[in-house]
Coordinates of all heavy atoms in Angstrom, one line a residue:
M1 N -146.7 19.9 10.4 CA -146.2 20.9 9.6 C -146.3 20.3 8.1 O -146.1 19.2 7.8 CB -144.6 21.0 9.9 CG -143.9 22.1 9.0 SD -142.2 22.3 9.3 CE -142.1 22.4 11.0
K2 N -146.8 21.1 7.3 CA -147.0 20.8 5.8 C -145.8 21.2 5.0 O -145.3 22.2 5.2 CB -148.3 21.5 5.3 CG -148.6 21.1 4.0 CD -149.9 22.0 3.6 CE -150.2 21.7 2.1 NZ -151.4 22.3 1.6
Y3 N -145.4 20.2 4.2 CA -144.4 20.5 3.2 C -144.7 21.1 2.0 O -145.8 20.7 1.5 CB -143.6 19.1 3.0 CG -142.9 18.6 4.3 CD1 -143.5 17.5 5.0 CD2 -141.8 19.1 4.8 CE1 -143.0 17.0 6.1 CE2 -141.2 18.6 6.0 CZ -141.8 17.6 6.6 OH -141.3 17.2 7.8
I4 N -143.9 21.9 1.5 CA -144.2 22.6 0.2 C -143.1 22.4 -0.7 O -141.9 22.4 -0.4 CB -144.3 24.2 0.4 CG1 -145.5 24.5 1.4 CG2 -144.5 25.0 -0.8 CD1 -145.6 25.9 1.9
N5 N -143.4 22.1 -2.0 CA -142.3 21.9 -3.0 C -141.7 23.2 -3.2 O -142.3 24.2 -3.6 CB -143.0 21.3 -4.3 CG -142.0 21.0 -5.3 OD1 -140.8 21.4 -5.4 ND2 -142.3 20.1 -6.3
A6 N -140.4 23.3 -3.2 CA -139.6 24.5 -3.4 C -139.8 25.0 -4.8 O -139.6 26.3 -4.9 CB -138.0 24.2 -3.0
E7 N -139.9 24.3 -5.7 CA -140.1 24.7 -7.1 C -141.3 25.6 -7.3 O -141.4 26.6 -8.0 CB -140.2 23.6 -8.0 CG -139.0 22.8 -8.3 CD -139.2 21.7 -9.4 OE1 -140.2 21.2 -9.5 OE2 -138.1 21.4 -10.0
S8 N -142.3 25.5 -6.3 CA -143.5 26.3 -6.4 C -143.5 27.5 -5.7 O -144.3 28.5 -5.9 CB -144.7 25.4 -5.9 OG -144.7 25.2 -4.5
I9 N -142.4 27.8 -5.0 CA -142.3 29.1 -4.1 C -141.1 29.9 -4.4 O -141.0 31.1 -4.3 CB -142.4 29.0 -2.7 CG1 -141.4 27.9 -2.0 CG2 -143.9 28.4 -2.3 CD1 -141.5 27.8 -0.6
F10 N -139.9 29.2 -4.8 CA -138.7 30.0 -5.0 C -138.4 30.3 -6.4 O -138.8 29.5 -7.3 CB -137.5 29.1 -4.5 CG -137.4 28.9 -2.9 CD1 -137.2 27.6 -2.4 CD2 -137.6 30.0 -2.1 CE1 -137.2 27.5 -1.0 CE2 -137.6 29.8 -0.7 CZ -137.4 28.5 -0.3
P11 N -137.9 31.4 -6.7 CA -137.4 31.8 -8.0 C -136.3 30.6 -8.5 O -135.5 30.3 -7.6 CB -136.9 33.1 -7.9 CG -137.2 33.7 -6.6 CD -137.5 32.5 -5.8
E12 N -136.3 30.4 -9.7 CA -135.3 29.5 -10.2 C -133.9 29.7 -9.8 O -133.1 28.8 -9.5 CB -135.4 29.4 -11.7 CG -134.6 28.2 -12.3 CD -134.7 28.1 -13.9 OE1 -135.7 28.7 -14.4 OE2 -133.8 27.5 -14.5
E13 N -133.4 31.0 -9.8 CA -132.0 31.3 -9.5 C -131.8 30.8 -7.9 O -130.8 30.3 -7.6 CB -131.7 32.7 -9.6 CG -132.0 33.3 -11.0 CD -133.4 33.7 -11.1 OE1 -133.9 34.3 -10.3 OE2 -134.0 33.4 -12.1
L14 N -132.6 31.2 -7.1 CA -132.7 30.9 -5.7 C -132.6 29.4 -5.5 O -131.9 28.8 -4.7 CB -133.7 31.6 -4.9 CG -133.6 31.3 -3.4 CD1 -132.4 31.7 -2.7 CD2 -134.8 32.2 -2.7
L15 N -133.5 28.7 -6.2 CA -133.6 27.3 -6.0 C -132.3 26.6 -6.3 O -131.9 25.7 -5.8 CB -134.9 26.8 -6.9 CG -135.1 25.2 -6.9 CD1 -135.3 24.7 -5.4 CD2 -136.3 24.8 -7.7
N16 N -131.7 27.0 -7.5 CA -130.4 26.5 -8.0 C -129.3 26.7 -7.0 O -128.5 25.9 -6.7 CB -130.0 27.1 -9.4 CG -130.9 26.7 -10.4 OD1 -131.5 25.6 -10.5 ND2 -131.0 27.5 -11.5
E17 N -129.3 28.0 -6.3 CA -128.3 28.2 -5.3 C -128.6 27.3 -4.0 O -127.6 26.7 -3.5 CB -128.5 29.6 -4.8 CG -127.3 30.1 -3.9 CD -125.9 30.1 -4.6 OE1 -125.9 30.2 -5.9 OE2 -124.9 30.0 -3.9
I18 N -129.8 27.1 -3.6 CA -130.1 26.1 -2.5 C -129.7 24.7 -2.8 O -129.1 24.0 -2.0 CB -131.6 26.3 -2.1 CG1 -131.9 27.6 -1.5 CG2 -132.0 25.1 -1.1 CD1 -133.4 27.9 -1.4
Q19 N -129.9 24.3 -4.2 CA -129.6 23.0 -4.5 C -128.1 22.7 -4.4 O -127.7 21.5 -4.3 CB -130.1 22.6 -5.8 CG -131.6 22.5 -5.8 CD -132.2 22.4 -7.3 OE1 -131.7 22.8 -8.3 NE2 -133.3 21.6 -7.4
K20 N -127.3 23.8 -4.5 CA -125.8 23.5 -4.3 C -125.5 23.0 -2.9 O -124.5 22.4 -2.8 CB -125.0 24.9 -4.5 CG -125.1 25.3 -6.0 CD -124.3 26.6 -6.1 CE -124.5 27.2 -7.5 NZ -123.8 28.5 -7.5
Y21 N -126.3 23.4 -1.9 CA -126.0 23.0 -0.5 C -126.9 21.8 -0.1 O -126.3 20.9 0.6 CB -126.3 24.3 0.4 CG -125.5 25.4 0.1 CD1 -125.9 26.4 -0.8 CD2 -124.2 25.5 0.6 CE1 -125.1 27.5 -1.0 CE2 -123.4 26.6 0.3 CZ -123.9 27.6 -0.5 OH -123.1 28.7 -0.8
V22 N -128.1 21.8 -0.5 CA -129.0 20.7 -0.2 C -129.8 20.2 -1.4 O -130.5 20.9 -2.0 CB -130.1 21.2 0.9 CG1 -131.0 20.2 1.3 CG2 -129.4 21.8 2.0
N23 N -129.6 19.0 -1.7 CA -130.2 18.5 -2.9 C -131.0 17.2 -2.6 O -130.5 16.2 -2.2 CB -129.0 18.1 -4.0 CG -129.7 17.8 -5.3 OD1 -130.8 18.0 -5.5 ND2 -128.7 17.4 -6.3
G24 N -132.4 17.4 -2.8 CA -133.3 16.2 -2.6 C -133.5 15.8 -1.1 O -133.9 14.8 -0.8
K25 N -133.2 16.8 -0.3 CA -133.6 16.6 1.2 C -134.4 17.5 1.8 O -134.7 18.6 1.1 CB -132.0 16.7 1.9 CG -131.0 15.9 1.5 CD -130.2 15.4 2.7 CE -129.2 14.5 2.4 NZ -128.5 13.8 1.7
L26 N -135.0 17.3 2.8 CA -136.0 18.1 3.5 C -135.2 19.1 4.4 O -134.3 18.8 5.1 CB -136.9 17.3 4.5 CG -137.8 16.3 3.8 CD1 -138.6 15.5 4.8 CD2 -138.8 17.0 2.8
I27 N -135.6 20.4 4.2 CA -135.0 21.4 5.2 C -136.0 22.2 5.8 O -137.2 22.3 5.4 CB -134.1 22.3 4.3 CG1 -134.9 23.1 3.3 CG2 -132.9 21.7 3.7 CD1 -134.1 24.3 2.6
Y28 N -135.7 22.7 7.0 CA -136.6 23.5 7.8 C -136.1 25.0 7.6 O -134.9 25.3 8.0 CB -136.7 23.1 9.3 CG -137.4 24.0 10.1 CD1 -138.7 24.1 10.1 CD2 -136.8 24.9 11.0 CE1 -139.5 24.9 11.0 CE2 -137.3 25.7 11.9 CZ -138.7 25.7 11.8 OH -139.3 26.6 12.6
I29 N -137.0 25.9 7.4 CA -136.7 27.3 7.3 C -137.4 28.0 8.5 O -138.6 28.1 8.4 CB -137.0 28.0 6.0 CG1 -136.2 27.2 4.9 CG2 -136.7 29.5 6.1 CD1 -136.6 27.7 3.5
P30 N -136.7 28.3 9.6 CA -137.4 28.9 10.7 C -138.1 30.4 10.5 O -137.5 31.0 9.6 CB -136.4 29.0 11.8 CG -135.0 29.0 11.0 CD -135.2 28.3 9.8
T31 N -138.9 30.7 11.4 CA -139.6 32.0 11.3 C -138.6 32.9 11.9 O -137.9 32.7 12.8 CB -140.9 31.9 12.1 OG1 -141.8 31.0 11.6 CG2 -141.6 33.2 12.1
P32 N -138.4 34.2 11.3 CA -137.6 35.1 11.9 C -138.0 35.4 13.4 O -139.1 35.4 13.7 CB -137.8 36.4 11.0 CG -138.4 35.9 9.8 CD -139.2 34.7 10.1
K33 N -137.0 35.7 14.1 CA -137.1 35.9 15.6 C -138.2 36.9 15.9 O -138.9 36.7 16.8 CB -135.9 36.3 16.3 CG -134.9 35.1 16.4 CD -133.7 35.4 17.2 CE -132.7 34.1 17.3 NZ -131.7 34.2 18.2
G34 N -138.2 38.0 15.3 CA -139.2 39.1 15.6 C -140.7 38.6 15.3 O -141.7 39.1 15.8
L35 N -140.9 37.6 14.5 CA -142.2 37.2 14.1 C -142.6 35.9 14.8 O -143.7 35.4 14.6 CB -142.3 36.9 12.5 CG -141.9 38.0 11.7 CD1 -142.0 37.7 10.3 CD2 -143.0 39.2 12.0
R36 N -141.8 35.3 15.5 CA -142.1 34.1 16.3 C -143.2 34.4 17.4 O -143.2 35.3 18.1 CB -140.8 33.4 17.0 CG -140.0 32.8 16.0 CD -138.8 32.2 16.8 NE -137.8 31.8 15.8 CZ -136.6 31.4 16.2 NH1 -136.2 31.4 17.4 NH2 -135.7 31.1 15.3
K37 N -144.1 33.4 17.5 CA -145.2 33.5 18.6 C -144.7 32.8 19.8 O -144.1 31.8 19.8 CB -146.5 32.9 18.1 CG -147.1 33.7 17.0 CD -148.5 33.1 16.7 CE -149.2 34.0 15.5 NZ -150.5 33.5 15.3
K38 N -145.1 33.2 20.9 CA -144.6 32.6 22.2 C -145.6 31.5 22.4 O -146.7 31.2 21.9 CB -144.8 33.5 23.4 CG -143.8 34.6 23.3 CD -144.0 35.6 24.5 CE -143.0 36.6 24.5 NZ -143.2 37.7 25.5
W39 N -145.1 30.6 23.3 CA -146.0 29.3 23.7 C -147.4 29.7 24.0 O -147.6 30.6 24.8 CB -145.3 28.6 24.8 CG -146.2 27.4 25.3 CD1 -146.0 26.1 24.9 CD2 -147.2 27.4 26.1 NE1 -146.9 25.3 25.3 CE2 -147.6 26.1 26.3 CE3 -147.7 28.3 27.1 CZ2 -148.7 25.6 27.0 CZ3 -148.8 28.0 27.8 CH2 -149.2 26.7 27.8
G40 N -148.2 29.0 23.3 CA -149.7 29.1 23.8 C -150.4 30.3 23.0 O -151.6 30.4 23.3
E41 N -149.7 31.1 22.3 CA -150.4 32.4 21.7 C -151.3 31.9 20.5 O -152.4 32.4 20.3 CB -149.4 33.3 21.2 CG -148.8 34.1 22.3 CD -147.7 35.1 21.6 OE1 -147.4 35.1 20.5 OE2 -147.4 36.1 22.5
S42 N -151.0 30.9 19.8 CA -151.8 30.4 18.7 C -153.0 29.6 19.1 O -154.2 29.9 18.6 CB -151.0 29.5 17.7 OG -150.0 30.2 17.1
S43 N -152.9 28.9 20.2 CA -153.9 27.9 20.7 C -154.8 28.6 21.8 O -155.9 28.2 22.0 CB -153.4 26.8 21.4 OG -152.7 27.1 22.4
G44 N -154.4 29.7 22.3 CA -155.2 30.5 23.3 C -154.8 30.0 24.7 O -155.4 30.6 25.6
N45 N -154.0 29.0 24.9 CA -153.6 28.5 26.2 C -153.0 29.6 27.0 O -153.3 29.6 28.3 CB -152.7 27.3 26.1 CG -153.5 26.0 25.8 OD1 -154.7 26.0 26.0 ND2 -152.8 25.1 25.3
R46 N -152.1 30.4 26.5 CA -151.4 31.4 27.2 C -152.5 32.3 27.9 O -152.4 32.7 29.1 CB -150.5 32.2 26.3 CG -149.8 33.3 27.1 CD -148.7 34.0 26.2 NE -147.6 33.2 25.9 CZ -146.5 33.1 26.7 NH1 -146.5 33.8 27.7 NH2 -145.5 32.4 26.3
N47 N -153.5 32.8 27.1 CA -154.5 33.8 27.7 C -155.3 33.0 28.7 O -155.6 33.5 29.7 CB -155.3 34.3 26.5 CG -156.2 35.4 27.0 OD1 -155.8 36.3 27.7 ND2 -157.5 35.3 26.7
Y48 N -155.7 31.8 28.4 CA -156.5 31.0 29.4 C -155.8 30.9 30.7 O -156.5 31.1 31.7 CB -156.7 29.6 28.8 CG -157.4 28.7 29.8 CD1 -158.8 28.7 30.3 CD2 -156.4 27.7 30.4 CE1 -159.3 27.9 31.2 CE2 -157.1 26.8 31.4 CZ -158.4 26.9 31.9 OH -158.9 26.2 32.8
L49 N -154.6 30.5 30.7 CA -153.8 30.4 32.0 C -153.7 31.8 32.7 O -153.8 31.8 33.9 CB -152.5 29.7 31.7 CG -152.5 28.3 31.3 CD1 -151.2 27.8 31.0 CD2 -153.2 27.4 32.4
R50 N -153.5 32.8 32.0 CA -153.4 34.2 32.6 C -154.6 34.5 33.3 O -154.6 34.9 34.5 CB -153.0 35.1 31.4 CG -152.7 36.6 32.1 CD -152.5 37.5 31.0 NE -153.5 37.7 30.0 CZ -154.7 38.2 30.2 NH1 -155.0 38.8 31.3 NH2 -155.7 38.3 29.2
V51 N -155.8 34.3 32.7 CA -157.1 34.6 33.3 C -157.4 33.7 34.4 O -157.8 34.2 35.4 CB -158.2 34.5 32.2 CG1 -159.6 34.5 32.8 CG2 -158.0 35.6 31.1
R52 N -157.1 32.5 34.3 CA -157.3 31.5 35.4 C -156.5 31.8 36.7 O -157.0 31.8 37.7 CB -157.0 30.0 35.0 CG -157.2 29.0 36.1 CD -156.3 27.7 35.8 NE -155.0 28.0 36.1 CZ -154.0 27.1 35.9 NH1 -154.4 25.8 35.5 NH2 -152.8 27.5 36.0
N53 N -155.2 32.1 36.4 CA -154.4 32.4 37.6 C -154.6 33.7 38.1 O -154.6 33.9 39.3 CB -152.9 32.4 37.1 CG -152.4 31.1 36.6 OD1 -153.0 30.1 36.9 ND2 -151.2 31.1 36.1
H54 N -155.2 34.7 37.4 CA -155.7 35.9 38.0 C -157.0 35.7 38.8 O -157.1 36.3 39.9 CB -156.1 37.0 36.9 CG -156.6 38.2 37.4 ND1 -155.8 39.2 38.0 CD2 -157.9 38.7 37.3 CE1 -156.6 40.2 38.3 NE2 -157.7 40.0 37.9
E55 N -157.8 34.9 38.5 CA -158.9 34.5 39.1 C -158.5 33.8 40.5 O -159.1 34.1 41.5 CB -159.9 33.5 38.4 CG -161.2 33.2 39.0 CD -162.1 32.3 38.1 OE1 -161.9 32.1 36.9 OE2 -163.1 31.9 38.7
I56 N -157.6 32.9 40.5 CA -157.2 32.1 41.6 C -156.6 33.2 42.6 O -156.8 33.1 43.8 CB -156.1 31.1 41.3 CG1 -156.8 30.0 40.5 CG2 -155.3 30.7 42.4 CD1 -155.7 28.9 39.8
R57 N -155.7 34.1 42.2 CA -155.2 35.2 43.0 C -156.3 36.0 43.7 O -156.3 36.4 44.8 CB -154.3 36.1 42.3 CG -152.9 35.4 41.9 CD -152.0 36.5 41.3 NE -150.9 35.6 40.7 CZ -150.8 35.4 39.3 NH1 -151.7 35.8 38.6 NH2 -149.8 34.7 38.7
Q58 N -157.3 36.4 42.9 CA -158.4 37.2 43.3 C -159.1 36.4 44.6 O -159.4 37.0 45.6 CB -159.4 37.6 42.3 CG -158.9 38.7 41.4 CD -159.9 39.2 40.4 OE1 -160.7 38.4 39.9 NE2 -160.1 40.4 40.1
K59 N -159.5 35.2 44.2 CA -160.2 34.3 45.2 C -159.3 34.2 46.4 O -159.9 34.2 47.7 CB -160.6 33.0 44.7 CG -161.7 33.2 43.6 CD -162.2 31.8 43.0 CE -163.3 32.2 42.1 NZ -164.4 31.3 42.2
F60 N -158.0 34.0 46.3 CA -157.1 33.8 47.5 C -157.1 35.2 48.2 O -157.3 35.1 49.5 CB -155.8 33.4 47.0 CG -154.8 33.1 48.2 CD1 -154.9 32.1 48.9 CD2 -153.9 34.1 48.5 CE1 -154.1 31.8 50.0 CE2 -153.0 33.9 49.6 CZ -153.1 32.7 50.3
S61 N -157.1 36.3 47.6 CA -157.1 37.5 48.3 C -158.4 37.8 49.1 O -158.5 38.5 50.1 CB -156.9 38.7 47.4 OG -155.6 38.6 46.8
A62 N -159.5 37.2 48.5 CA -160.8 37.4 49.2 C -161.0 36.4 50.3 O -162.2 36.5 50.9 CB -161.9 37.2 48.0
G63 N -160.1 35.5 50.6 CA -160.2 34.8 51.7 C -160.3 33.1 51.4 O -160.4 32.4 52.3
A64 N -160.2 32.8 50.1 CA -160.4 31.4 49.8 C -159.0 30.7 50.3 O -158.0 31.4 50.2 CB -160.6 31.1 48.3
T65 N -159.2 29.5 50.7 CA -158.0 28.7 51.2 C -157.3 28.0 50.1 O -158.0 27.8 49.0 CB -158.3 27.7 52.3 OG1 -159.3 26.7 51.7 CG2 -159.1 28.3 53.5
I66 N -156.1 27.5 50.3 CA -155.4 26.7 49.2 C -156.1 25.5 49.0 O -156.2 25.1 47.8 CB -153.9 26.5 49.8 CG1 -153.1 27.6 50.1 CG2 -153.3 25.5 48.8 CD1 -152.7 28.5 48.9
D67 N -156.7 24.8 49.9 CA -157.4 23.6 49.7 C -158.7 23.8 48.8 O -158.9 23.0 47.9 CB -157.8 22.9 51.1 CG -156.6 22.2 51.7 OD1 -155.6 21.9 51.1 OD2 -156.6 22.2 53.0
Q68 N -159.4 24.8 49.2 CA -160.5 25.2 48.4 C -160.2 25.5 47.0 O -160.9 25.0 46.0 CB -161.3 26.4 49.1 CG -162.0 26.2 50.4 CD -162.4 27.4 51.0 OE1 -161.8 28.5 50.8 NE2 -163.5 27.3 51.9
L69 N -159.2 26.3 46.8 CA -158.8 26.6 45.4 C -158.3 25.4 44.7 O -158.6 25.1 43.5 CB -157.8 27.7 45.4 CG -158.3 29.1 45.9 CD1 -157.0 30.0 46.1 CD2 -159.2 29.6 44.9
S70 N -157.6 24.5 45.3 CA -157.1 23.3 44.7 C -158.3 22.3 44.2 O -158.3 21.8 43.1 CB -156.3 22.4 45.8 OG -155.8 21.3 45.2
D71 N -159.4 22.3 45.1 CA -160.5 21.5 44.7 C -161.2 22.1 43.5 O -161.8 21.5 42.6 CB -161.4 21.3 45.9 CG -160.9 20.3 47.0 OD1 -159.9 19.6 46.6 OD2 -161.3 20.4 48.1
Q72 N -161.4 23.5 43.6 CA -162.1 24.1 42.6 C -161.5 24.2 41.2 O -162.2 24.0 40.2 CB -162.4 25.7 43.0 CG -163.2 26.4 42.0 CD -163.5 27.8 42.5 OE1 -163.1 28.2 43.6 NE2 -164.2 28.6 41.7
F73 N -160.1 24.2 41.2 CA -159.5 24.4 40.0 C -158.7 23.1 39.5 O -158.1 23.1 38.5 CB -158.6 25.5 40.0 CG -159.2 26.9 39.9 CD1 -159.5 27.5 41.1 CD2 -159.5 27.6 38.8 CE1 -160.0 28.8 41.2 CE2 -160.2 28.8 38.8 CZ -160.4 29.4 40.0
Y74 N -159.0 22.0 40.2 CA -158.4 20.7 40.0 C -156.9 20.8 39.9 O -156.2 20.2 38.9 CB -159.1 20.1 38.7 CG -160.5 20.0 38.8 CD1 -161.3 20.9 38.3 CD2 -161.1 19.0 39.7 CE1 -162.8 20.9 38.4 CE2 -162.5 18.9 39.8 CZ -163.4 19.9 39.2 OH -164.6 19.7 39.2
L75 N -156.2 21.6 40.8 CA -154.7 21.7 40.7 C -154.3 21.3 42.1 O -155.0 21.3 43.1 CB -154.4 23.1 40.5 CG -154.7 23.7 39.2 CD1 -154.4 25.2 39.2 CD2 -153.8 23.1 38.1
S76 N -153.0 20.9 42.2 CA -152.3 20.4 43.4 C -152.2 21.7 44.4 O -152.2 22.8 43.9 CB -151.0 19.7 43.2 OG -150.1 20.7 42.8
N77 N -152.2 21.4 45.6 CA -151.9 22.4 46.5 C -150.6 23.3 46.2 O -150.5 24.4 46.3 CB -151.7 22.0 48.0 CG -153.1 21.6 48.6 OD1 -154.1 21.7 47.9 ND2 -153.1 21.0 49.7
D78 N -149.5 22.5 45.8 CA -148.3 23.2 45.4 C -148.4 24.0 44.1 O -147.9 25.2 44.2 CB -147.2 22.1 45.1 CG -146.6 21.4 46.3 OD1 -146.8 21.9 47.4 OD2 -146.2 20.3 46.2
S79 N -149.2 23.6 43.2 CA -149.5 24.5 42.0 C -150.3 25.8 42.4 O -149.9 26.9 42.0 CB -150.3 23.7 41.0 OG -149.6 22.7 40.4
I80 N -151.3 25.7 43.4 CA -152.0 26.8 43.8 C -151.0 27.8 44.5 O -151.0 29.0 44.4 CB -153.1 26.4 44.7 CG1 -154.2 25.6 43.9 CG2 -153.8 27.6 45.3 CD1 -154.9 26.3 42.8
K81 N -150.2 27.3 45.4 CA -149.2 28.1 46.1 C -148.2 28.8 45.2 O -148.0 30.0 45.5 CB -148.3 27.1 47.1 CG -149.1 26.7 48.3 CD -148.3 25.7 49.2 CE -149.2 25.2 50.3 NZ -148.3 24.2 51.1
K82 N -147.8 28.1 44.2 CA -146.9 28.8 43.2 C -147.7 30.0 42.6 O -147.0 31.1 42.2 CB -146.5 27.9 42.1 CG -145.4 26.8 42.6 CD -144.9 25.9 41.5 CE -144.1 24.8 42.0 NZ -143.8 23.9 41.0
I83 N -149.0 29.8 42.2 CA -149.7 30.9 41.6 C -149.9 32.0 42.5 O -149.7 33.2 42.2 CB -151.0 30.3 41.1 CG1 -150.8 29.3 39.9 CG2 -151.9 31.4 40.6 CD1 -152.0 28.5 39.6
V84 N -150.4 31.7 43.8 CA -150.9 32.8 44.7 C -149.7 33.5 45.3 O -149.7 34.7 45.7 CB -151.8 32.4 45.8 CG1 -153.1 31.8 45.1 CG2 -151.2 31.4 46.7
Y85 N -148.4 32.9 45.4 CA -147.3 33.4 46.0 C -146.2 34.0 45.0 O -145.3 34.5 45.4 CB -146.6 32.5 47.0 CG -147.5 32.1 48.1 CD1 -147.7 30.8 48.6 CD2 -148.1 33.1 48.9 CE1 -148.5 30.4 49.6 CE2 -149.0 32.7 50.0 CZ -149.2 31.4 50.4 OH -149.9 31.0 51.4
S86 N -146.7 33.9 43.8 CA -145.6 34.4 42.7 C -145.8 36.0 42.8 O -146.7 36.5 43.3 CB -146.0 33.9 41.3 OG -147.2 34.4 40.9
K87 N -144.8 36.6 42.2 CA -144.8 38.1 42.4 C -145.5 38.8 41.2 O -145.4 40.0 40.9 CB -143.3 38.6 42.4 CG -142.6 38.1 43.7 CD -141.2 38.7 43.7 CE -140.6 38.2 44.9 NZ -139.3 38.8 45.2
K88 N -146.3 38.0 40.4 CA -147.0 38.5 39.3 C -148.2 39.4 39.6 O -148.9 39.1 40.5 CB -147.5 37.6 38.2 CG -146.3 37.0 37.5 CD -146.7 36.2 36.3 CE -145.6 35.9 35.4 NZ -145.9 35.2 34.2

């Protein structure tokens, strides 16, 4: 996370008000709830896992075994079972 000098972004009146509560300290201003991204959305991991899991389910439905899928996707048997037996 990159830090920004408050003097460069806040109007003077707002900066003076903030300084009444926090003076010379680092503060974190969170993103509003409606604008927050879910885990993996920025990096693409969420989409990658969704596509991978869909492929695993398709191959399992087509007759692939848990052991075959485990070897192909480098996941444990338990992980494959969680994916193929989930209700998604």
Side-chain angles (χ1 to χ4, degrees):
M1 182 182 312
K2 184 177 177 185
Y3 294 101
I4 301 172
N5 187 335
E7 287 181 331
S8 66
I9 57 172
F10 291 131
E12 186 176 342
E13 307 82 44
L14 179 57
L15 183 60
N16 289 336
E17 190 64 28
I18 292 170
Q19 286 173 331
K20 291 178 185 177
Y21 300 95
V22 181
N23 193 3
K25 302 220 177 359
L26 298 176
I27 60 170
Y28 170 75
I29 300 174
T31 304
K33 288 189 180 193
L35 299 177
R36 290 183 186 167
K37 291 184 178 182
K38 294 181 180 179
W39 176 90
E41 286 182 345
S42 295
S43 66
N45 279 340
R46 178 178 288 274
N47 189 48
Y48 166 77
L49 292 176
R50 185 184 55 76
V51 170
R52 182 203 67 184
N53 293 349
H54 179 72
E55 184 179 353
I56 290 171
R57 287 187 197 99
Q58 281 185 325
K59 290 184 180 221
F60 183 74
S61 295
T65 67
I66 299 290
D67 287 331
Q68 289 170 335
L69 293 169
S70 178
D71 290 341
Q72 182 179 355
F73 289 94
Y74 303 102
L75 294 170
S76 70
N77 285 358
D78 288 339
S79 293
I80 296 293
K81 287 177 185 177
K82 285 178 186 175
I83 293 167
V84 298
Y85 295 130
S86 69
K87 293 186 179 185
K88 285 190 173 185

